[in-house]
Amino acid sequence: MAVRRNIPIIIPEIEVESCTIGLREKVLAGVPFFQALSVDSVRSINRRFVDRGFEPGSTIIREGDPAERLFVVALGIVKLFRTTDSGDTVLIDILGSGEYFGSLAGYGPARYEDSAIARSRVCALSIDAVAFRRILTEYSSVALKSVEALSNRLHLAQEMVRQLAGYSAEARIAYVLLHLADKLGTPWKGNTLIQAPLTRDELASMAGTTTETASRAVSRMQKQGIITTGRGWIALADEDALRDLAPEYSR
Amino acid sequence: MAVRRNIPIIIPEIEVESCTIGLREKVLAGVPFFQALSVDSVRSINRRFVDRGFEPGSTIIREGDPAERLFVVALGIVKLFRTTDSGDTVLIDILGSGEYFGSLAGYGPARYEDSAIARSRVCALSIDAVAFRRILTEYSSVALKSVEALSNRLHLAQEMVRQLAGYSAEARIAYVLLHLADKLGTPWKGNTLIQAPLTRDELASMAGTTTETASRAVSRMQKQGIITTGRGWIALADEDALRDLAPEYSR
DNA sequence: CGCTGCCTTGATCTTCTTCAAAACGTGTGG
DNA sequence: CCACACGTTTTGAAGAAGATCAAGGCAGCG
């Protein structure tokens, strides 16, 4: 039943060794916190960040470690998750370029509440938590934007709660796909292509279900021509149909 | 089978008509945003807030309305919820004294994303969103604390996601009860008393399940002597047992 | 080749939802 | 003060959705 490989997408391997100065500035300017800043301010702030590369699979931060730094993804895909002490993990989110994680408000003895690992080759910018606090007080617009950005994330998280509470597994999977497409999607031949190495398992974990259920849901969607998948990518062929499956998806 | 009414708790009806100046200051000083401020600063900020009373059942803000104000609960219990367009509601949270809701970062054309109604007689302080933004830029410590407070709420919301995704209905109900006890609980004869008019329906909505399932879970807990309930109150008789039911409840 | 992950599919079994109906508790008006 | 009516809670039984268990298939890779 290999009806799947009919669209052989070649993933462009646009991975870079380390971030260029220009890229760093471009990425930082796009981070919600810094969006209201002048080019000069961004340049100045850029100097306070350091960049570092991570190989696929390597750990960037670990849940429970002292929360010392704030990270921004410059290039690549980062997996943000939390572990239950019964051992299994819950995927909080998949982050792409311009998204942040780590310590925002790191007062005294704070600890990371999530773990993050590189899911592809990643270049991440980071800054000491204390230094970020300084920026927050220096530039009031950064403070405003931070509050705004956090409000938005909070809203999204609560939206997720609503999804989990009220809708079927299939609906939640559709929701997750749309969410990822919005963040990581690139247009490709009229479809939206999600270029992230997402296993069924990870998809399941994001939607709060099991591998098998996720697999079945994805298969069903493939049969209906709503999506196409392959190794390391998912393409949304019929976004409207997906939206029908995911009630109340907005934005 | 009326084994329930063996502990006739009389709820002290400590409702006040409107907030006194002293109370206002005490409440504001306890709001996360303002915790780092001097007494004088709090006094100054206090002047920018107005207070207003709400009768039980009255709407304070409505989802979708222009987000013009930030509210702080001074007295009473507020129900924060969101509506699906299929009509049913999801309880986001129950708020007590010192908690906030409404517009935090209200830039331009923002809208409230939740509705809030008074679940008891309520006195709420509020401030214009623009005025709050001004405070945010005036006092950098408020900005820092806001970021911190939002991070915490975000963390809680993601925790809720994890609960919904991974645990049984009973575990989630236990979790909700512990959560409410932490926020609204008052010690009473060695137990923790939650004085909030919570229907099974509302409890169910917070735990992402149905009225019936919530009812069954609560009954079971009562039979095991873990909790006692009555009209308008729930008492946690055996918090340790509850904690056993709710895996990973922390804080 | 033969691993080793990952994905898929089927069958069973548990949990929760749904539907339905009865019992309670409170407040009301006669 | 009683009786009725309403909203909430409880309980039961049937059904569905999804978890779990088990097995086989299909890559890519050493």
Side-chain angles (χ1 to χ4, degrees):
Chain A
M1 231 186 248
V3 201
R4 214 173 321 117
R5 258 310 156 88
N6 45 0
I7 305 189
I9 297 178
I10 284 93
I11 302 181
E13 268 288 348
I14 335 178
E15 297 293 355
V16 183
E17 276 303 298
S18 83
C19 320
T20 64
I21 310 275
L23 177 67
R24 286 180 46 141
E25 272 180 23
K26 218 181 82 197
V27 167
L28 284 180
V31 173
F33 309 149
F34 304 134
Q35 267 169 14
L37 292 176
S38 68
V39 177
D40 277 353
S41 304
V42 170
R43 192 159 298 155
S44 150
I45 284 176
N46 187 7
R47 278 186 228 110
R48 313 198 203 176
F49 276 82
V50 298
D51 60 54
R52 187 172 151 207
F54 293 89
E55 288 303 308
S58 59
T59 300
I60 304 175
I61 62 175
R62 198 186 308 270
E63 196 177 347
D65 283 356
E68 294 164 341
R69 302 190 73 77
L70 169 69
F71 290 82
V72 171
V73 181
L75 230 47
I77 305 283
V78 170
K79 197 171 123 179
L80 200 63
F81 63 98
R82 210 170 282 180
T83 314
T84 69
D85 39 42
S86 21
D88 41 68
T89 71
V90 176
L91 247 193
I92 303 289
D93 209 349
I94 300 276
L95 306 179
S97 176
E99 298 196 276
Y100 57 93
F101 61 96
S103 167
L104 264 136
Y107 58 106
R111 317 222 139 232
Y112 292 124
E113 26 200 50
D114 314 303
S115 299
I117 72 170
R119 200 64 182 75
S120 67
R121 184 164 291 199
V122 163
C123 173
L125 310 180
S126 77
I127 188 173
D128 184 83
V130 177
F132 181 69
R133 278 162 70 85
R134 209 172 300 131
I135 293 178
L136 223 46
T137 60
E138 274 174 37
Y139 302 88
S140 66
S141 82
V142 174
L144 283 177
K145 281 289 176 186
S146 299
V147 170
E148 219 171 82
L150 280 170
S151 296
N152 288 341
R153 266 218 188 169
L154 181 59
H155 185 215
L156 275 183
Q158 287 173 341
E159 191 56 37
M160 193 65 219
V161 170
R162 207 175 66 172
Q163 291 288 328
L164 286 170
Y167 298 111
S168 70
E170 185 169 48
R172 270 139 48 199
I173 300 224
Y175 179 88
V176 168
L177 288 177
L178 286 168
H179 170 68
L180 290 177
D182 272 345
K183 297 203 321 179
L184 310 172
T186 54
W188 179 85
K189 294 202 181 177
N191 300 335
T192 304
L193 185 64
I194 304 174
Q195 279 184 44
L198 251 198
T199 64
R200 294 288 179 276
D201 208 28
E202 290 169 327
L203 196 55
S205 167
M206 283 192 83
T209 181
T210 59
T211 314
E212 294 91 331
T213 301
S215 177
R216 284 183 239 270
V218 168
S219 300
R220 219 171 305 134
M221 291 178 193
Q222 284 190 123
K223 277 199 199 85
Q224 293 169 16
I226 299 175
I227 62 177
T228 0
T229 73
R231 194 175 188 74
W233 56 268
I234 300 178
L236 311 191
D238 186 348
E239 260 184 72
D240 289 338
L242 252 195
R243 262 173 235 282
D244 286 346
L245 287 180
E248 317 234 357
Y249 183 83
S250 49
R251 151 214 205 334
Chain B
M1 233 190 240
V3 202
R4 214 173 320 117
R5 256 310 155 89
N6 45 1
I7 305 189
I9 297 178
I10 285 93
I11 302 181
E13 267 288 348
I14 335 176
E15 296 294 355
V16 183
E17 275 303 297
S18 82
C19 320
T20 63
I21 309 277
L23 177 67
R24 287 180 46 142
E25 272 181 23
K26 218 183 81 199
V27 167
L28 284 181
V31 173
F33 309 149
F34 304 134
Q35 266 168 14
L37 292 177
S38 69
V39 177
D40 276 353
S41 303
V42 170
R43 192 159 298 155
S44 148
I45 284 176
N46 187 6
R47 277 185 230 109
R48 312 197 204 175
F49 276 82
V50 299
D51 61 53
R52 188 174 150 206
F54 293 90
E55 288 304 309
S58 59
T59 300
I60 304 175
I61 62 175
R62 198 186 308 273
E63 195 177 349
D65 283 355
E68 295 164 340
R69 302 190 73 78
L70 169 69
F71 290 82
V72 172
V73 181
L75 231 47
I77 305 284
V78 170
K79 198 171 120 178
L80 201 63
F81 62 98
R82 209 169 282 179
T83 315
T84 68
D85 40 42
S86 22
D88 42 67
T89 70
V90 176
L91 248 193
I92 303 289
D93 209 349
I94 301 275
L95 306 179
S97 176
E99 298 195 277
Y100 56 93
F101 62 96
S103 167
L104 264 135
Y107 57 107
R111 317 223 138 231
Y112 291 125
E113 29 201 48
D114 314 303
S115 298
I117 72 170
R119 200 63 180 75
S120 67
R121 185 164 291 199
V122 164
C123 174
L125 311 179
S126 77
I127 188 173
D128 185 82
V130 177
F132 181 70
R133 277 163 71 85
R134 210 172 298 130
I135 293 178
L136 223 47
T137 60
E138 273 174 38
Y139 301 89
S140 66
S141 83
V142 174
L144 283 178
K145 282 289 177 186
S146 299
V147 170
E148 220 171 81
L150 280 170
S151 296
N152 287 341
R153 266 218 187 169
L154 181 59
H155 184 216
L156 275 184
Q158 287 172 339
E159 191 56 38
M160 193 65 220
V161 170
R162 206 175 68 172
Q163 291 289 327
L164 285 170
Y167 298 111
S168 71
E170 185 170 47
R172 270 140 46 198
I173 299 218
Y175 178 88
V176 168
L177 288 177
L178 287 168
H179 170 69
L180 290 177
D182 272 346
K183 297 202 322 179
L184 310 172
T186 54
W188 181 85
K189 296 203 180 176
N191 300 334
T192 304
L193 185 63
I194 303 175
Q195 281 184 43
L198 253 198
T199 65
R200 295 285 179 279
D201 207 28
E202 290 170 326
L203 197 54
S205 166
M206 281 192 84
T209 182
T210 60
T211 314
E212 293 91 332
T213 301
S215 176
R216 283 183 239 269
V218 168
S219 301
R220 218 171 305 135
M221 291 179 194
Q222 283 190 125
K223 276 200 199 85
Q224 291 169 16
I226 299 176
I227 62 177
T228 1
T229 73
R231 193 176 189 72
W233 57 268
I234 301 177
L236 312 192
D238 187 349
E239 259 185 73
D240 289 338
L242 252 196
R243 261 173 235 282
D244 286 346
L245 287 180
E248 315 234 358
Y249 183 83
S250 51
R251 149 212 210 323

